[in-house]
Amino acid sequence: MKKNTLLVFWLLGIFGYLQSQSYIGFLSDNYSGVNAVISNPANINSSPYKLDINLGGVSAFASNDYFGVNVFKALKDGYDFNLEATRSPLNDNRATGNVDVLGPSFMFSLSQNSTLALFTRARFFINANEINGETIASIDDDTTNDFTVDEDDFNGVGHAWAEFGVAYATTILNKNNRKLKGGISLKYLKGLASAYAFGEDVTFNYDADGTDLGGGQTTGSFTSSGTLNLARFDEFDADNYDYKSPNNASGFALDIGVSYQWHPDDLNTNTYKFKLGLSVTDIGFINYKNGVREVYNITNTNVSEEDYENSESINEFLNNFYTRLDGRTGYKIDLPSALNFNLDWNFRKNLFLNFNVDMPLISTDRITANRIANIVSLTPRYESKWFSFYLPFSVVQRNGFRMGAGFRAGPIYAGSGSLISAFASNNNQQADVYAGVKVPIYKNLPKDKDEDGIVDKLDNCPEIFGPKDNGGCLGVILMKMVF
């Protein structure tokens, strides 16, 4: 019993704050193509691609605010997690999780000022809030098999779903060296699995030898109190359960965003000086019409662990040993709605500095909703047509600082938002990675050999980077021409 319960908390730790922002670093790249639809649909417009096809990409991030390890040491033989891992018990330890898979998707330019994208996506989220760290510590105590859970109130939700979306972006304003773009994504949602639970005034005491089976044999027993609310899409905890995609589980969602660019030289190039983006993503929910939700009074004493293990499902066990207060059919799971702010500065030729903020619009008290973690990141990057490199620095809510690296090389992109910090810290609580493959087909743009934002046919010095005021030449060259 103790090992099973500890496994639940450990899994919550492993799948802890699975990244709030997917593909960190890469999405700030002007060559991210159709992937940009994830954070702001407006950014797919004015892309350097005539056609961009994403064959497949996955982003996953694991973190928690209870367990911490030295990753470098943990990868070596002989590492003892029980002795060497750090623990940070709080009254409200939390865990959230997110795995984001961008499936076959493509984006193409309809005209110079409009772009259309079609995309597929699969996502998984898990949230657990208000978990008492002393509960985990009690279960993790190797000196005794007994443990006590005093959770007061807690809540958790897990959700997996698929998305089929269409996005459209257009140029709203394009004059006086300023460009304003807007975009919108409409998504059909297919629920794949869901469950949630929340407890009120919950206590749970486990005695490893509390039940006498006779003949000198004992088994565990537990005493509990409080109210437990449960909902699930199917009886997945039953013996020999065979997964099937749930019927009558669907919904719709909306992403909307704008992007403002300042081009000090020429609006017909992508060499902006500043770009400002704002978007709201995942506005919507999935309705599990056949799902079941129930409420139980779990007050009982000395319930045998053998009775629990002999039950065919948790639902059967609860109905046999506790009082069912309410039962209904159907519930809704809200998506992890978020506000995304992005500022991009092109401070020198191919060098950029990106500032990004992702904020959840869902409260932790909302038990039927997934939620991202707050994250603020600063990402210097080198960006060119066939290669980009990112060095993201981030601060994640309740998990502190992290540093990573990433790159794009032709059709391949890969990276991590915490690769460097994961190996540098003795108390690392985070790890993430992303990778993918795409087929980029570039627009036939006028040549700009020196990449100064002035096309060669209008550039007096097409092989030397220079400002527009000097006709694309450096001042010293103009002086030689004059004298």
Side-chain angles (χ1 to χ4, degrees), residues 171-186:
T171 300
I172 301 171
L173 177 68
N174 188 7
K175 64 179 182 180
N176 298 328
N177 291 14
R178 293 169 175 83
K179 180 181 292 186
L180 179 65
K181 302 181 294 182
I184 186 171
S185 295
L186 297 176

Side-chain angles (χ1 to χ4, degrees), residues 16-28:
Y17 282 115
L18 280 182
Q19 223 321 12
S20 50
Q21 185 198 50
S22 302
Y23 307 95
I24 190 169
F26 176 58
L27 293 186
S28 65

Side-chain angles (χ1 to χ4, degrees), residues 78-357:
Y79 181 83
D80 192 326
F81 176 84
N82 288 327
L83 295 177
E84 300 183 60
T86 61
R87 290 153 174 81
S88 304
L90 304 171
N91 290 329
D92 59 345
N93 284 111
R94 299 178 185 177
T96 61
N98 144 8
V99 176
D100 192 344
V101 179
L102 186 65
S105 308
F106 66 94
M107 175 198 77
F108 58 92
S109 297
L110 298 175
S111 67
Q112 184 176 354
N113 294 317
S114 61
T115 305
L116 185 70
L118 300 175
F119 59 94
T120 62
R121 197 175 175 193
R123 302 168 71 184
F124 167 74
F125 262 82
I126 184 172
N127 295 82
N129 301 304
E130 308 298 325
I131 305 299
N132 190 335
E134 296 300 330
T135 291
I136 309 176
S138 177
I139 298 172
D140 197 25
D141 185 0
D142 291 331
T143 63
T144 178
N145 289 322
D146 302 336
F147 65 89
T148 298
V149 174
D150 187 2
E151 280 302 321
D152 196 14
D153 297 345
F154 69 91
N155 63 79
V157 57
H159 193 197
W161 72 97
E163 299 180 355
F164 306 90
V166 56
Y168 175 77
T170 187
T171 300
I172 301 171
L173 177 68
N174 188 7
K175 64 179 182 180
N176 298 328
N177 291 14
R178 293 169 175 83
K179 180 181 292 186
L180 179 65
K181 302 181 294 182
I184 186 171
S185 295
L186 297 176
K187 303 184 289 188
Y188 169 76
L189 312 173
K190 170 57 180 174
L192 301 178
S194 66
Y196 71 80
F198 71 93
E200 300 172 282
D201 300 320
V202 171
T203 63
F204 184 93
N205 294 284
Y206 175 72
D207 184 346
D209 301 309
T211 300
D212 188 353
L213 298 177
Q217 298 295 315
T218 63
T219 189
S221 68
F222 33 89
T223 298
S224 59
S225 64
T227 303
L228 184 62
N229 297 259
L230 299 173
R232 59 204 177 280
F233 78 102
D234 203 353
E235 300 299 338
F236 55 83
D237 61 315
D239 293 341
N240 301 318
Y241 172 71
D242 184 19
Y243 171 79
K244 294 181 180 179
S245 177
N247 296 321
N248 297 319
S250 61
F252 294 91
L254 173 72
D255 301 340
I256 188 168
V258 293
S259 176
Y260 170 84
Q261 296 176 188
W262 176 51
H263 298 245
D265 296 320
D266 189 347
L267 276 172
N268 294 318
T269 71
N270 286 322
T271 56
Y272 60 81
K273 192 68 174 179
F274 291 101
K275 180 169 72 172
L276 180 68
L278 187 68
S279 65
V280 178
T281 55
D282 291 326
I283 306 170
F285 61 86
I286 294 178
N287 189 357
Y288 285 83
K289 294 182 180 180
N290 294 346
V292 177
R293 49 181 175 145
E294 297 171 305
V295 182
Y296 292 91
N297 181 337
I298 60 170
T299 301
N300 205 342
T301 59
N302 298 321
V303 178
S304 170
E305 182 178 352
E306 189 174 67
D307 289 328
Y308 167 75
E309 293 177 346
N310 290 334
S311 298
E312 292 187 2
S313 66
I314 294 177
N315 181 252
E316 178 185 289
F317 172 73
L318 290 172
N319 281 306
N320 286 340
F321 294 92
Y322 302 101
T323 304
R324 186 172 182 260
L325 302 177
D326 191 15
R328 301 182 186 184
T329 300
Y331 60 86
K332 298 176 181 178
I333 301 290
D334 297 303
L335 297 193
S337 302
L339 176 68
N340 312 285
F341 171 81
N342 191 274
L343 176 62
D344 204 38
W345 175 33
N346 179 201
F347 63 91
R348 184 178 180 183
K349 199 177 180 180
N350 299 101
L351 299 179
F352 294 76
L353 185 63
N354 186 270
F355 175 72
N356 188 87
V357 178

Side-chain angles (χ1 to χ4, degrees), residues 407-466:
F407 73 92
R408 173 187 57 85
I412 300 172
Y413 55 93
S416 166
S418 59
L419 177 66
I420 298 174
S421 58
F423 284 89
S425 172
N426 287 321
N427 184 32
N428 179 66
Q429 298 176 329
Q430 312 170 44
D432 77 293
V433 66
Y434 65 83
V437 180
K438 61 167 54 211
V439 180
I441 300 176
Y442 293 88
K443 293 177 180 177
N444 294 321
L445 298 175
K447 292 184 178 181
D448 182 11
K449 190 180 298 182
D450 56 8
E451 297 184 340
D452 59 1
I454 306 171
V455 297
D456 289 351
K457 65 180 181 179
L458 301 177
D459 197 334
N460 292 329
C461 303
E463 296 185 359
I464 300 175
F465 186 91

